[in-house]
């Protein structure tokens, strides 16, 4: 059963100001440099006042521990259940936090019905799952861990039923994710990728580099940062973060916890993030030791009585000492910005526009298309509307860079607020996602300008 999420707007991060007073909470200290400080919570914590009090005071990003995973959100094929995920989303956003979505495609915690599928059928089920879940949360989340833990320790792909559908399963997931919600950051998330010289780190790095070079949509890498006795903070962690960031992606520490909450290691991992401009934030996997999946190791920042531990102070101090702020979050300069020139009146009749369609991606249950709208006239257009007719059985699930009327048969798409103005010989495009068993191109394309 699908339950609507609340309409509470996604909170945005505060402006960075490295010269401001030190923050006295984790979130305030992180926000000084345009970063966030997050935690993971299970649905059972919604009734735990001790947890909620600290969450509200210290954190400005939330991740659901299990409630947005594939087995939770699509227990039976095509039957989505967002109740548990929405409960966490609603509480977090009602308390001014943003939400990271975790996760869409993973070898673990899969819906039971994926277990009886393979090959193209499993690939289709994965894409359908991504479309279904991302449509529900469209425009509401900060980021999605699109794919989780897909590499083995030796740097090759982890063997799994998803990997067996073909080596391109990860990029297929990312392409589908971009189409389903163009507004959310798309992350690859994994553990044991903190040590720069480790084979698994290099495997993930090479995949991200390949994706960026081929235009596969990806915005961020999540380093889970589970430091155990056997794999503690590596001295080259800063190199790992800056190397990933240099590929043109954000990096984030997504599930941090450290054996016995070593204050030195917590300070080190925080400093590493705070010194890399594109390291956007840190999330701990729980808040108190009693919340942890590694509870016997007491790996979190608060003890079982909700008291901050020495590691808390070390993290707070490292956040307040950040040497870089996240690009685009600095306080705007105080110099006045000149008023842009007003748009000159349209002279003569508006030029004619044309609409050209191309297929950009397809899979078993649907496809993604793009229409280029071009102004072939000699004067500026101030609006356009494209009409197109879908083949039988095709339904539009999502449109971006345009506003659609209708979802099947003849559909019209007009410009969005920001791309209606087209100078002479200029062009723009909108994209759309179609569900249906064929990739038959839409027919009867017309473009009307105003
Ligand atoms: O809800 C059932 C309960 O009804 C049943 O009685 C009980 C019996 O074992 O199991 C309960 O489900 C457990 C679930 O957590 C909720 O507590 C599952 O067995 C257990 O496997 C599951 O563990 C989760 C684990 O992911 C599964 O892989 C942990 O809570 C969760 O913290 C952990 O999170 C992962 C991240 O997603 C990815 N990175 C590693 C991280 C830690 O393992």
């Amino acid at each position: 059963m699908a339950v609507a999420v609340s309409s509470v707007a996604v909170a945005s991060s505060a402006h960075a100001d490295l010269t401001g007073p030190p923050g006295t909470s984790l979130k305030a200290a992180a926000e000084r440099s345009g970063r966030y400080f997050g935690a993971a919570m299970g649905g059972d914590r919604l009734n735990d006042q001790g947890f909620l009090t600290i969450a509200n005071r210290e954190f400005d990003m939330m991740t659901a521990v299990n409630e947005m995973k594939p087995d939770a959100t699509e227990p039976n094929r095509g039957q989505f259940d967002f109740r548990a995920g929405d409960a966490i989303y609603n509480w977090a956003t009602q308390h001014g936090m943003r939400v990271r979505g975790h996760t869409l495609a993973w070898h673990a915690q899969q819906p039971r019905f994926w277990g009886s599928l393979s090959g193209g059928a499993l690939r289709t089920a994965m894409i359908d799952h991504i479309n279904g879940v991302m449509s529900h949360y469209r425009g509401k989340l900060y980021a999605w861990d699109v794919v989780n833990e897909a590499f083995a320790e030796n740097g090759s792909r982890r063997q799994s039923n998803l990997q067996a559908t073909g080596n391109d399963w990860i990029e297929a997931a990312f392409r589908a994710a971009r189409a389903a919600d163009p507004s959310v950051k798309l992350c690859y998330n994994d553990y044991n990728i903190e040590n720069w010289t480790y084979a698994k780190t290099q495997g993930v790095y090479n995949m991200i580099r390949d994706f960026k070079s081929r235009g596969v949509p990806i915005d961020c890498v999540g380093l889970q940062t589970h430091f155990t006795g056997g794999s503690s903070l590596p001295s080259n962690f800063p190199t790992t973060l800056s190397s990933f960031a240099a590929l043109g992606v954000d990096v984030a520490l997504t599930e941090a916890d450290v054996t016995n909450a070593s204050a030195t290691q917590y300070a080190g991992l925080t400093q590493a993030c705070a010194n890399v401009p594109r390291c956007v934030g840190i999330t701990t996997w729980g808040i108190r030791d009693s919340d942890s999946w590694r509870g016997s190791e007491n790996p979190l920042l608060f003890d079982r009585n909700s008291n901050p531990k020495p590691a808390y102070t070390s993290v707070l101090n490292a956040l307040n000492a950040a040497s870089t702020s996240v690009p685009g979050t600095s306080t705007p300069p105080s110099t006045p910005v000149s008023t842009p020139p007003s748009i000159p009146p349209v002279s003569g009749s508006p030029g004619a526009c044309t609409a050209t369609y191309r297929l950009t991606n397809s899979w078993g249950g649907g496809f993604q298309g793009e229409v280029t709208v071009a102004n072939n006239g000699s004067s500026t257009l101030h609006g356009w509307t494209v009409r197109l007719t879908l083949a039988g059985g095709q339904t539009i699930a999502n449109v971006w860079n345009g506003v659609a009327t209708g979802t099947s048969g003849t559909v019209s798409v007009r410009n969005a607020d920001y791309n209606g103005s087209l100078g002479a010989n200029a062009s723009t495009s909108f994209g759309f996602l179609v569900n249906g068993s064929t990739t038959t191109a839409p027919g009867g394309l017309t473009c009307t300008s105003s």
Side-chain angles (χ1 to χ4, degrees):
M1 181 178 78
V3 176
V5 294
S6 90
S7 58
V8 174
V10 175
S12 60
S13 59
H15 278 304
D17 181 5
L18 291 177
T19 64
T24 56
S25 63
L26 296 170
K27 65 181 175 186
E31 287 168 9
R32 285 178 88 249
S33 61
R35 295 184 169 85
Y36 63 79
F37 207 92
M41 75 185 286
D44 50 357
R45 296 301 183 270
L46 289 165
N47 300 314
D48 183 333
Q49 208 48 55
F51 180 98
L52 298 178
T53 299
I54 309 177
N56 195 25
R57 186 182 73 221
E58 300 283 346
F59 297 87
D60 57 6
M61 184 71 77
M62 196 52 77
T63 306
V65 171
N66 289 307
E67 292 73 4
M68 294 190 189
K69 290 174 177 174
D71 60 344
T73 52
E74 193 184 1
N76 298 299
R77 182 154 208 168
Q79 287 180 0
F80 291 90
D81 185 342
F82 298 111
R83 287 172 295 184
D86 285 354
I88 290 174
Y89 172 87
N90 289 338
W91 185 85
T93 54
Q94 282 159 7
H95 291 81
M97 301 171 200
R98 293 180 291 173
V99 175
R100 295 189 83 260
H102 174 82
T103 177
L104 295 166
W106 189 20
H107 66 274
Q109 286 178 285
Q110 297 185 349
R112 198 181 296 271
F113 72 89
W114 285 15
S116 57
L117 301 175
S118 62
L122 178 60
R123 177 72 66 90
T124 299
M126 179 190 79
I127 301 285
D128 288 348
H129 178 78
I130 290 171
N131 285 332
V133 177
M134 291 189 75
S135 298
H136 180 75
Y137 287 109
R138 185 159 57 224
K140 298 187 183 317
L141 301 185
Y142 168 74
W144 263 112
D145 290 333
V146 177
V147 171
N148 194 41
E149 301 176 1
F151 276 75
E153 299 304 299
N154 69 2
S156 64
R157 293 290 184 83
R158 176 196 290 272
Q159 294 306 309
S160 72
N161 58 346
L162 293 171
Q163 180 64 27
T165 68
N167 205 50
D168 62 344
W169 75 275
I170 299 180
E171 65 182 90
F174 275 87
R175 289 187 200 279
R178 177 69 94 227
D181 184 354
S183 70
V184 68
K185 289 178 189 284
L186 306 179
C187 303
Y188 175 78
N189 191 54
D190 214 330
Y191 62 90
N192 283 355
I193 57 169
E194 292 81 19
N195 186 329
W196 177 240
T197 61
Y198 194 53
K200 186 173 179 182
T201 310
Q202 291 300 309
V204 173
Y205 176 83
N206 288 332
M207 179 187 73
I208 308 296
R209 185 172 59 180
D210 171 54
F211 279 14
K212 293 301 283 185
S213 73
R214 292 190 294 112
V216 178
I218 185 163
D219 305 307
C220 34
V221 178
L223 298 94
Q224 293 184 8
T225 322
H226 293 297
F227 289 147
T228 65
S231 66
S232 52
L233 174 71
S235 59
N236 59 23
F237 194 37
T239 305
T240 307
L241 295 181
S242 56
S243 300
F244 275 120
L247 293 176
V249 289
D250 289 347
V251 291
L253 316 190
T254 51
E255 305 183 13
D257 48 22
V258 179
T259 306
N260 295 325
S262 154
T264 314
Q265 290 196 48
Y266 263 113
L269 69 88
T270 307
Q271 283 159 3
C273 181
N275 291 336
V276 171
R278 287 196 77 163
C279 185
V280 293
I282 300 172
T283 294
T284 55
W285 204 245
I287 292 181
R288 306 158 304 183
D289 290 330
S290 49
D291 305 317
S292 176
W293 66 300
R294 300 167 56 194
S296 62
E297 298 179 54
N298 298 319
L300 293 174
L301 300 178
F302 291 83
D303 68 19
R304 287 158 206 276
N305 297 318
S306 297
N307 296 313
K309 295 157 65 173
Y312 169 91
T313 310
S314 76
V315 169
L316 190 71
N317 290 343
L319 291 170
N320 279 321
S323 65
T324 69
S325 52
V326 175
T329 63
S330 298
T331 308
S334 55
T335 35
V337 179
S338 59
T339 316
S342 58
I343 298 167
V346 182
S347 56
S349 57
C353 60
T354 55
T356 312
Y357 166 80
R358 78 183 177 100
L359 179 71
T360 52
N361 194 14
S362 67
W363 51 92
F367 65 93
Q368 181 184 325
E370 181 183 82
V371 170
T372 300
V373 179
N375 176 7
N376 300 318
S378 56
S379 54
T380 299
L381 303 182
H382 294 291
W384 46 263
T385 301
V386 170
R387 284 164 68 85
L388 52 86
T389 302
L390 295 168
Q394 294 179 346
T395 311
I396 287 196
N398 186 17
V399 174
W400 55 99
N401 297 336
V403 180
T405 303
T407 55
S408 60
T410 298
V411 173
S412 72
V413 180
R414 68 171 168 77
N415 58 274
D417 290 343
Y418 51 84
N419 64 358
S421 183
L422 280 183
N425 298 316
S427 65
T428 186
S429 65
F430 66 87
F432 55 94
L433 191 72
V434 173
N435 287 327
S437 54
T438 69
T439 56
T440 308
L445 260 74
T446 62
C447 184
T448 312
S449 58
S450 54

